Amino acid sequence: MAKKNGSESKKKGPARVATPPTENWTDEPQEHDYPAAASYLGLVCEQAQVQSLVRALKAASLERHLAKDLLRASGLALLPVDNAHVASDLAKVTQDEKLSPVLLVRGDIGRGLPLTIADGYHRVCASYHVDENADIPCHLVDHKGPTAVPGFRLGSGIGTGAGSGAEPAPETGAGGLPNAGSEADSGSLGGPTAPGGS
Protein backbone atom coordinates (compact mmCIF):
# COMPACT_ATOMS: atom_id res chain seq x y z
CA MET A 1 0.00 0.00 0.00
CA ALA A 2 1.54 3.31 -1.10
CA LYS A 3 2.10 5.96 1.54
CA LYS A 4 0.19 9.15 1.07
CA ASN A 5 2.14 12.30 0.61
CA GLY A 6 2.11 14.30 3.86
CA SER A 7 0.47 17.27 2.22
CA GLU A 8 -2.19 15.05 0.65
CA SER A 9 -3.03 13.33 3.93
CA LYS A 10 -3.76 16.60 5.72
CA LYS A 11 -7.41 17.53 5.57
CA LYS A 12 -8.28 21.08 4.82
CA GLY A 13 -10.10 22.74 7.72
CA PRO A 14 -12.66 25.52 7.41
CA ALA A 15 -11.29 28.89 6.40
CA ARG A 16 -10.69 31.11 9.39
CA VAL A 17 -12.80 34.23 9.50
CA ALA A 18 -11.27 37.09 11.43
CA THR A 19 -13.54 38.15 14.25
CA PRO A 20 -14.22 41.85 13.91
CA PRO A 21 -13.49 43.90 17.00
CA THR A 22 -16.42 45.17 19.02
CA GLU A 23 -16.68 48.56 20.64
CA ASN A 24 -16.78 49.09 24.37
CA TRP A 25 -18.38 52.25 25.68
CA THR A 26 -18.23 54.10 28.96
CA ASP A 27 -21.46 54.43 30.93
CA GLU A 28 -21.46 58.21 30.66
CA PRO A 29 -19.83 60.82 28.42
CA GLN A 30 -16.46 62.11 29.60
CA GLU A 31 -16.47 65.52 31.24
CA HIS A 32 -14.41 67.10 28.43
CA ASP A 33 -17.06 66.06 25.86
CA TYR A 34 -19.43 68.78 27.10
CA PRO A 35 -17.06 71.74 26.47
CA ALA A 36 -16.30 70.20 23.05
CA ALA A 37 -20.04 70.09 22.30
CA ALA A 38 -20.46 73.67 23.57
CA SER A 39 -17.59 74.84 21.37
CA TYR A 40 -19.28 73.46 18.27
CA LEU A 41 -22.79 74.53 19.24
CA GLY A 42 -21.48 78.04 19.88
CA LEU A 43 -20.84 78.34 16.16
CA VAL A 44 -24.47 77.69 15.24
CA CYS A 45 -26.49 78.74 18.30
CA GLU A 46 -26.78 81.78 20.50
CA GLN A 47 -24.86 81.44 23.77
CA ALA A 48 -28.03 81.17 25.87
CA GLN A 49 -29.18 78.26 23.70
CA VAL A 50 -25.75 76.62 23.99
CA GLN A 51 -25.85 76.75 27.79
CA SER A 52 -29.38 75.36 27.83
CA LEU A 53 -28.49 72.51 25.46
CA VAL A 54 -25.36 71.54 27.39
CA ARG A 55 -27.32 71.48 30.68
CA ALA A 56 -29.93 69.27 29.00
CA LEU A 57 -27.25 66.97 27.57
CA LYS A 58 -25.70 66.50 31.01
CA ALA A 59 -29.11 65.65 32.51
CA ALA A 60 -30.25 63.36 29.67
CA SER A 61 -30.49 59.63 30.24
CA LEU A 62 -28.45 57.18 28.19
CA GLU A 63 -30.14 55.68 25.13
CA ARG A 64 -28.88 53.73 22.13
CA HIS A 65 -29.23 54.19 18.39
CA LEU A 66 -27.75 52.37 15.38
CA ALA A 67 -24.62 53.85 13.80
CA LYS A 68 -26.22 53.83 10.35
CA ASP A 69 -29.32 55.64 11.63
CA LEU A 70 -27.26 58.36 13.34
CA LEU A 71 -25.33 59.07 10.14
CA ARG A 72 -28.43 59.02 7.99
CA ALA A 73 -30.45 61.30 10.30
CA SER A 74 -27.56 63.76 10.62
CA GLY A 75 -27.03 63.98 6.86
CA LEU A 76 -23.28 63.70 7.49
CA ALA A 77 -20.84 61.85 5.27
CA LEU A 78 -19.19 58.67 6.54
CA LEU A 79 -15.57 59.65 7.13
CA PRO A 80 -12.97 57.16 5.80
CA VAL A 81 -10.90 54.88 8.01
CA ASP A 82 -7.76 56.86 7.18
CA ASN A 83 -9.19 60.05 8.69
CA ALA A 84 -6.82 60.72 11.61
CA HIS A 85 -9.53 60.92 14.28
CA VAL A 86 -11.51 57.96 12.96
CA ALA A 87 -8.29 55.93 12.81
CA SER A 88 -7.52 56.91 16.40
CA ASP A 89 -10.95 55.72 17.56
CA LEU A 90 -10.61 52.49 15.56
CA ALA A 91 -7.26 51.89 17.26
CA LYS A 92 -8.99 52.27 20.62
CA VAL A 93 -11.57 49.68 19.56
CA THR A 94 -8.80 47.26 18.54
CA GLN A 95 -7.04 47.82 21.87
CA ASP A 96 -10.33 47.28 23.75
CA GLU A 97 -10.34 50.85 25.09
CA LYS A 98 -13.71 52.33 25.92
CA LEU A 99 -15.25 55.06 23.78
CA SER A 100 -17.35 57.88 25.18
CA PRO A 101 -21.09 58.05 24.35
CA VAL A 102 -22.04 60.69 21.80
CA LEU A 103 -23.97 63.90 22.41
CA LEU A 104 -26.92 64.57 20.11
CA VAL A 105 -29.53 67.25 19.46
CA ARG A 106 -32.68 65.87 17.84
CA GLY A 107 -33.56 67.01 14.33
CA ASP A 108 -37.00 68.12 13.18
CA ILE A 109 -38.29 66.48 10.03
CA GLY A 110 -41.19 68.94 9.78
CA ARG A 111 -38.80 71.89 9.54
CA GLY A 112 -36.07 70.12 7.58
CA LEU A 113 -33.55 70.18 10.44
CA PRO A 114 -31.14 67.24 10.61
CA LEU A 115 -29.96 65.49 13.74
CA THR A 116 -26.99 67.32 15.27
CA ILE A 117 -24.01 65.31 16.47
CA ALA A 118 -22.75 67.88 18.98
CA ASP A 119 -19.86 65.62 20.02
CA GLY A 120 -18.82 62.20 18.73
CA TYR A 121 -18.98 62.40 14.92
CA HIS A 122 -15.68 60.53 14.53
CA ARG A 123 -16.74 57.90 17.07
CA VAL A 124 -19.96 57.32 15.13
CA CYS A 125 -17.95 56.88 11.90
CA ALA A 126 -15.48 54.51 13.58
CA SER A 127 -18.37 52.48 14.98
CA TYR A 128 -20.01 52.35 11.54
CA HIS A 129 -16.80 50.95 10.04
CA VAL A 130 -16.78 48.19 12.68
CA ASP A 131 -20.49 47.41 12.34
CA GLU A 132 -23.08 49.69 10.78
CA ASN A 133 -25.72 48.05 12.99
CA ALA A 134 -23.79 48.80 16.18
CA ASP A 135 -25.84 50.29 19.01
CA ILE A 136 -24.17 53.54 19.99
CA PRO A 137 -24.91 54.94 23.46
CA CYS A 138 -25.81 58.60 23.44
CA HIS A 139 -27.44 61.50 25.23
CA LEU A 140 -30.19 62.96 23.04
CA VAL A 141 -31.99 66.25 23.69
CA ASP A 142 -34.59 68.35 21.87
CA HIS A 143 -34.03 71.86 20.56
CA LYS A 144 -36.67 74.11 19.10
CA GLY A 145 -34.64 76.62 17.13
CA PRO A 146 -36.45 79.30 15.09
CA THR A 147 -35.22 78.61 11.58
CA ALA A 148 -35.56 75.70 9.18
CA VAL A 149 -33.02 74.99 6.45
CA PRO A 150 -34.48 75.91 3.04
CA GLY A 151 -34.36 73.07 0.53
CA PHE A 152 -32.69 70.59 2.87
CA ARG A 153 -33.98 67.01 2.97
CA LEU A 154 -33.20 64.83 5.96
CA GLY A 155 -30.92 61.92 5.12
CA SER A 156 -29.78 63.43 1.82
CA GLY A 157 -26.16 63.99 2.80
CA ILE A 158 -24.95 60.47 3.43
CA GLY A 159 -23.23 58.56 0.67
CA THR A 160 -22.70 55.31 2.57
CA GLY A 161 -25.44 53.78 4.65
CA ALA A 162 -28.29 55.93 3.35
CA GLY A 163 -31.36 54.43 1.84
CA SER A 164 -32.11 54.26 -1.85
CA GLY A 165 -32.20 57.53 -3.68
CA ALA A 166 -29.64 59.19 -1.41
CA GLU A 167 -27.48 61.85 -2.95
CA PRO A 168 -23.70 61.93 -2.54
CA ALA A 169 -22.44 63.58 0.63
CA PRO A 170 -21.74 67.28 0.14
CA GLU A 171 -18.42 68.90 1.02
CA THR A 172 -20.28 71.49 3.05
CA GLY A 173 -23.51 71.44 4.99
CA ALA A 174 -26.59 73.49 4.34
CA GLY A 175 -25.90 77.17 4.81
CA GLY A 176 -22.28 76.65 3.73
CA LEU A 177 -21.12 75.08 7.00
CA PRO A 178 -18.22 72.63 6.58
CA ASN A 179 -18.49 69.01 7.70
CA ALA A 180 -15.89 69.60 10.41
CA GLY A 181 -16.30 71.80 13.47
CA SER A 182 -13.79 73.46 15.78
CA GLU A 183 -13.04 70.39 17.89
CA ALA A 184 -11.20 67.24 16.80
CA ASP A 185 -14.42 65.26 16.90
CA SER A 186 -16.75 67.77 15.27
CA GLY A 187 -18.71 67.81 12.05
CA SER A 188 -22.21 68.69 11.04
CA LEU A 189 -24.88 69.67 8.65
CA GLY A 190 -27.23 72.44 9.68
CA GLY A 191 -28.49 75.88 8.86
CA PRO A 192 -27.09 79.14 10.20
CA THR A 193 -29.20 78.95 13.35
CA ALA A 194 -29.61 75.18 13.49
CA PRO A 195 -27.14 73.34 15.73
CA GLY A 196 -24.50 71.17 14.08
CA GLY A 197 -22.56 68.24 15.47
CA SER A 198 -19.31 66.45 16.11
Side-chain angles (χ1 to χ4, degrees), residues 68-163:
K68 64 184 181 183
D69 289 344
L70 293 180
L71 279 179
R72 191 172 179 191
S74 71
L76 291 169
L78 173 64
L79 296 174
V81 294
D82 59 359
N83 172 280
H85 303 294
V86 173
S88 174
D89 286 329
L90 286 171
K92 290 178 183 177
V93 172
T94 302
Q95 295 160 14
D96 205 28
E97 293 181 33
K98 291 187 175 183
L99 302 176
S100 182
V102 301
L103 303 177
L104 308 172
V105 180
R106 192 186 313 276
D108 187 334
I109 196 169
R111 296 184 300 140
L113 297 176
L115 171 78
T116 295
I117 304 177
D119 182 72
Y121 176 30
H122 296 95
R123 299 193 293 281
V124 171
C125 290
S127 181
Y128 185 102
H129 284 297
V130 173
D131 178 4
E132 68 182 67
N133 291 308
D135 268 332
I136 297 180
C138 55
H139 283 197
L140 175 65
V141 298
D142 290 312
H143 173 56
K144 301 299 181 186
T147 309
V149 182
F152 179 75
R153 290 187 299 113
L154 286 177
S156 65
I158 235 197
T160 304

